[in-house]
Amino acid sequence: MEHIAIIGNGISGVTAARHIRKMSDKRITIISAETEYFFSRTALMYIYMGHMKFEHTQPYENWFWKKNRIELKNGFVSEVNHQANELVFASGEVMAYDKLIIAVGSKPNKFGWPGQDLDGVMGMYHKQDLENLEKHAPNNKVCNRAVIVGGGLIGIELAEMLHSRNIPVTFLVRENSFWDAVLPAGESGMINRHIQNHHIDLRLGVNLKEIVADDDGKVKAVVVQETGEVIDCNVVGLTPGVSPNVDFLKDSGIELGRGVKVNRFLETNIPNIYAIGDCAEQHEAIGNRRPIEAVWYTGRMMGETLAQTICGNRTEYKPGHWFNSAKFLDIEYQTYGWVFGRPKEYEQQFHWIHEDDTKCITVSYHKETAEFLGINTFGIRMRHEVFDRWLTEKRDVNYVMQHLAEANFDPEFYSVYESDILSAYKKSQLQTA
């Protein structure tokens, strides 16, 4: 019986396993050194905030794996020997496979800061990070202040977590405005103000110089690069993004860039080895997408796509229109299509912000053709399938603006802003005409 080994029990690896099982009787083993059972990584923050327990983050009951004949192996793979079709574990144990799926995800970036490995320094990616945070920041008596370094989505989640326990937070962000590589200026500015309104000490345009230890090797303070200021703290959250977790493959003969290089079929340069999820890097990016996408839903789609190939129906990975969602404290964010932080030369953007400074939209369209290119929404929930359809149909921006109510998740709620948005849009059209 053909043996499919999957390294990594995140959303990509588990989705591949489930779909291979639906379509075949192959032997399947999922290998993980992190946790015994699959859990929803995006829900880690809600455990710390007291909204759920760890077992609530496990989408499947523990009996599910045995019932579906999916073997779970707890262990750390230190080497892939593709000539012998074998995995070598750190324990010295060896496992043979017929096909191998690499779904090892990401690891938090570290940039060689002095003190980055001290006790009390952590990312917020693994279950172990959550346990570490619980130990070092159970309350504001043990942790008088935390410093977060890096202004992405994980950084803002960590700030919200600490804030929920009344732990003072200083947020060091290298950019001059929060997440401004991704968000247009109006949105980024609104998020800056929203963070500060939550009494989080947001410092923009600054870098970490070093993390200072006390006599016991624990975090005592950080030093700001630009000013030399020393900020006393007990916890440092390093959240300057993630990178593929592929160090163990350096001498394997599997082609690597930043991640594991794959073609459109998620195949590596070794015929029976594949890579999916955060660790997979497309040789050529798909459309405007990045070659590596550390996004939950693309990981899931890759798992579904690859299962088809493994089961004899070779299928190209086609992720469709870009979308994503996140939360900035209590403002929900959604994006569909492409709205660039720094508009492209062909791109016109219409921006509307509500007077309460917690709701806004930015609509992107083509200057020449008026084709609708994308939308960002903050604090207003929209329907994915409607925007997906409009992008496929290449609707023009006027059509989209006139029909925005159709895309809204809460039509009664939305009607409050509709006339305001439309009149602002019409005014903007007169100005650009």
Side-chain angles (χ1 to χ4, degrees), residues 7 55-57 75 81 123 141 146 199 244 268 270 307 319 334 356 360 388 397 399 405-406 425-426:
I7 311 177
E55 53 269 29
H56 301 153
T57 70
N81 179 352
K141 311 270 185 305
H199 309 294
T268 69
I270 311 290
Q334 294 173 298
D356 72 6
C360 72
D388 205 55
V397 64
Y399 177 90
E406 284 174 34
Y425 170 69
K426 283 172 181 161

Side-chain angles (χ1 to χ4, degrees), residues 327-393:
K327 216 162 140 271
F328 295 91
L329 301 163
D330 38 22
I331 297 179
E332 288 190 28
Y333 156 71
Q334 294 173 298
T335 182
Y336 303 100
W338 295 104
V339 180
F340 290 99
R342 295 177 184 88
K344 304 287 186 189
E345 62 287 352
Y346 57 80
E347 185 188 358
Q348 185 77 41
Q349 293 181 351
F350 162 69
H351 180 68
W352 169 86
I353 186 164
H354 190 264
E355 60 195 12
D356 72 6
D357 206 25
T358 66
K359 298 172 198 72
C360 72
I361 65 169
T362 304
V363 175
S364 168
Y365 59 96
H366 198 290
K367 272 180 187 165
E368 309 296 323
T369 65
E371 183 188 331
F372 169 63
L373 301 175
I375 184 168
N376 288 351
T377 72
F378 288 79
I380 300 174
R381 274 192 173 182
M382 295 288 186
R383 292 182 186 278
H384 175 190
E385 65 276 9
V386 177
F387 285 116
D388 205 55
R389 187 173 77 239
W390 288 344
L391 287 162
T392 299
E393 292 168 352

Side-chain angles (χ1 to χ4, degrees), residues 58-99:
Q58 296 177 195
Y60 306 103
E61 300 287 353
N62 293 348
W63 50 256
F64 171 89
W65 309 100
K66 202 166 189 180
K67 179 174 180 274
N68 288 282
R69 305 189 321 286
I70 295 172
E71 298 168 37
L72 303 180
K73 164 83 178 157
N74 196 256
F76 183 82
V77 176
S78 56
E79 197 186 320
V80 175
N81 179 352
H82 73 82
Q83 289 92 343
N85 287 344
E86 283 179 347
L87 303 176
V88 181
F89 288 84
S91 62
E93 194 183 341
V94 171
M95 179 188 282
Y97 63 83
D98 296 300
K99 291 197 171 106

